[in-house]
Amino acid sequence: MPVVAVIGAQWGDEGKGHIVDILAERARLVIRYGGGNNAGHTVVNRQGTFKLHIVPSGVFDPATVNIIGSGVVVDPAVLLREIADLETRGISTTRLFISDRAHVIMPYHVMQDQLDEAARGEAKIGTTGRGIGPAYADKMTRIGIRMGDLLHEETLLRRLRQALDVKNRLLTTLYGAQPLSLHETFLKYLEYGSKLDRHVTDVHPIVQRALEKDMPILLEGAQGALLDIDHGTYPYVTSSPPGAAGACQGSGIAPSYLTSVIGVCKAYTTRVGEGPFPTEVDGATADTLRQIGTPWAEVGTTTGRLRRVGWFDAVMMRYAARLNGIDTLAITKLDVLDTLPRIKICVGYRRNDTELDYPPANNAVLSQVEPIYEELPGWQTPTTAVRSFDRLPAEARAYVARVCELVGVRLGMVSIGPAHDQIIEVNRVI
Ligand code: GDP
Ligand code: IMO
Ligand code: MG
């Protein structure tokens, strides 16, 4: 039975929430496997418009079990607010489980993230300021606190004392900030633990039982392949592996179980935060791509920052597809291109007299490459009401086909609007 990873194939915000919400009714488990509340996944369906940061986008399907995997870093205050908001709006969270192995974002992580960014000045990364990097760093240096620890008074006190011993020295000496009180922090996180008690569990048996029973499973990615800690545009990346390998690691599912990897990409490209972006545009084309004034304008779901926009970059996408074994593309926001008379696709990079067909690791070099564009005619017809591939304008079909050809991956779906039914499915993997 299918075990399908739905991963962001660009720099995040590709529309993963939309695609997972559509596919969730075919799955028994939806597992969010990485990132934290740096993510913002928009779901527009019969129940309303939702901006999810930590809860998996399968939560709207009443028959689906939703899991926050061990690869996620959880800010309990944010999660509790998200759960309360969903419940108030009539969405049940009784089938939401949080791995007791997932790490907790602590207040010092948020402070550290923001103080580090301020200290970087011009060299800032443009993080979301949610404490993501420091939380993953502490996980690796083994002074992290896990969700399961919040349920055990003695463990929490011991782990927090060890962590604060280090963190308070760092906060006061290096950053000149106020130290955090062990007592107050302990009581606050113990309370979070008791409020989340019914959700926090060892998810290993749930996941293994689902695999044994051949239940269809969706692994929901956050961020995107080009923000990957190893393969992204380092250091302008996030601090986790958002791709297919991270999907296995962060959900506790062995790679051999994966039956498909869906790469979600926009029909163009966006990026929030700093870092190289070869196909970035400004001016009138950027205004069109940003769709300001619409509910799906290119404004960050989490931070409200204006997203940088540019043409579709087939070089980056091919790189992302190869690294992650993407076998199926879900191309979103095709409708955003509806009014353009001509549309560009970047098919290669030129540097001096050399052509590159994958992004170089050196950001200084990547920032200087000249994109080689191919220009295709636009369709200048609304596509938002179209529901079958054959009914798309011929130019739109040609554009999508060319994108798939250049990336070297078959088409799975095209989305032509943010709503639950604004999807054209060509190949099913689940
Ligand atoms: P995610 O982080 O990958 O889940 O994506 P975000 O939710 O941050 O950003 C995607 C934005 O595009 C949201 O505002 C969605 O509602 C919107 N969206 C998704 N698919 C489509 C589409 O096909 N057309 C349009 N116009 N908007 C879409
Ligand atoms: P979703 O899941 C877009 C970007 C930040 C910044 C960099 C590092 O909604 O696609 P971090 O706070 O993670 O240390 O920031 O990564 N970033 C995202 N950009 N969508 C996201 O998530 C992102 N999560 C992180 O803007 O450039
Ligand atoms: Mg997003």
Side-chain angles (χ1 to χ4, degrees), residues 11-13 16 38-41 126-128 222-223 237-238 272-273 305:
W11 279 291
D13 300 329
K16 298 174 291 292
N38 47 351
H41 296 181
T127 73
T128 58
Q223 291 78 53
V237 293
T238 192
V272 211
R305 290 179 291 179

Side-chain angles (χ1 to χ4, degrees), residues 8 12-19 39-44 49-52 57 220-223 264 266 268 291 294-302 307 331-336 384 414-419 422-423:
D13 300 329
E14 299 90 349
K16 298 174 291 292
H18 181 35
I19 300 299
H41 296 181
T42 314
V43 171
V44 180
T49 297
F50 300 85
K51 309 255 177 215
L52 300 173
S57 304
E220 177 179 0
Q223 291 78 53
V264 186
K266 283 176 181 162
Y268 49 102
Q291 301 274 293
T294 68
W296 52 84
E298 292 298 355
V299 176
T301 312
T302 298
R307 292 178 188 143
I331 302 176
T332 61
K333 300 193 111 171
L334 187 71
D335 54 299
V336 172
T384 48
V414 183
S415 95
I416 26 60
Q422 287 183 300
I423 195 82

Side-chain angles (χ1 to χ4, degrees), residues 87-409:
E87 291 285 347
T88 309
R89 296 175 66 185
I91 312 298
S92 168
T93 57
T94 49
R95 285 157 298 96
L96 172 68
F97 299 104
I98 306 157
S99 167
D100 53 4
R101 291 174 168 87
H103 279 247
V104 184
I105 298 180
M106 301 297 290
Y108 44 82
H109 293 138
V110 180
M111 291 168 77
Q112 236 184 303
D113 191 3
Q114 295 175 1
L115 290 163
D116 277 340
E117 274 288 90
R120 282 184 199 115
E122 289 280 282
K124 72 175 195 290
I125 291 165
T127 73
T128 58
R130 302 298 198 263
I132 307 299
Y136 278 116
D138 281 1
K139 171 176 174 173
M140 292 303 169
T141 49
R142 291 156 293 180
I143 58 162
I145 290 169
R146 302 195 293 176
M147 288 303 291
D149 299 340
L150 303 186
L151 310 184
H152 297 282
E153 219 172 302
E154 269 171 48
T155 317
L156 178 62
L157 187 60
R158 181 168 45 80
R159 296 290 297 164
L160 188 60
R161 181 175 283 126
Q162 284 169 351
L164 276 185
D165 200 33
V166 177
K167 295 294 169 177
N168 275 341
R169 268 187 290 151
L170 197 72
L171 287 174
T172 52
T173 355
L174 189 64
Y175 299 105
Q178 290 298 311
L180 290 164
S181 146
L182 173 64
H183 185 64
E184 281 173 23
T185 315
F186 167 69
L187 289 180
K188 192 193 251 182
Y189 281 75
L190 197 63
E191 192 187 339
Y192 289 149
S194 78
K195 286 185 176 161
L196 288 168
D197 193 7
R198 68 196 173 104
H199 298 285
V200 178
T201 185
D202 191 344
V203 300
H204 175 77
I206 306 176
V207 174
Q208 292 308 312
R209 206 174 309 123
L211 289 170
E212 273 161 30
K213 296 201 164 161
D214 274 346
M215 291 176 178
I217 300 175
L218 275 181
L219 309 179
E220 177 179 0
Q223 291 78 53
L226 305 175
L227 289 170
D228 182 271
I229 186 75
D230 281 282
H231 304 287
T233 44
Y234 191 90
Y236 303 103
V237 293
T238 192
S239 299
S240 64
C248 296
Q249 179 73 5
S251 61
I253 292 183
S256 51
Y257 279 108
L258 273 194
T259 52
S260 186
V261 181
I262 299 180
V264 186
C265 63
K266 283 176 181 162
Y268 49 102
T269 312
T270 66
R271 171 163 209 172
V272 211
E274 308 302 315
F277 183 172
T279 62
E280 185 169 12
V281 295
D282 52 21
T285 311
D287 292 344
T288 307
L289 294 179
R290 278 206 187 97
Q291 301 274 293
I292 301 298
T294 68
W296 52 84
E298 292 298 355
V299 176
T301 312
T302 298
T303 55
R305 290 179 291 179
L306 212 58
R307 292 178 188 143
R308 299 157 66 193
V309 294
W311 297 114
F312 189 87
D313 187 339
V315 179
M316 287 286 181
M317 273 296 303
R318 198 160 47 225
Y319 175 72
R322 286 173 180 164
L323 282 167
N324 291 286
I326 293 173
D327 51 61
T328 308
L329 284 188
I331 302 176
T332 61
K333 300 193 111 171
L334 187 71
D335 54 299
V336 172
L337 307 181
D338 281 353
T339 57
L340 290 168
R342 303 204 58 82
I343 305 168
K344 290 186 187 181
I345 304 181
C346 169
V347 296
Y349 295 156
R350 191 175 291 120
R351 182 166 186 264
N352 303 325
D353 288 332
T354 329
E355 271 190 29
L356 301 170
D357 78 339
Y358 66 93
N362 185 324
N363 286 323
V365 177
L366 184 56
S367 305
Q368 283 164 8
V369 297
E370 185 198 334
I372 303 166
Y373 287 117
E374 193 173 286
E375 235 180 79
L376 275 74
W379 42 95
Q380 297 187 283
T381 317
T383 55
T384 48
V386 178
R387 292 294 177 271
S388 82
F389 194 74
D390 298 342
R391 293 272 165 94
L392 280 173
E395 294 84 354
R397 275 184 275 137
Y399 180 77
V400 168
R402 185 67 181 133
V403 161
C404 292
E405 182 182 33
L406 287 165
V407 179
V409 175

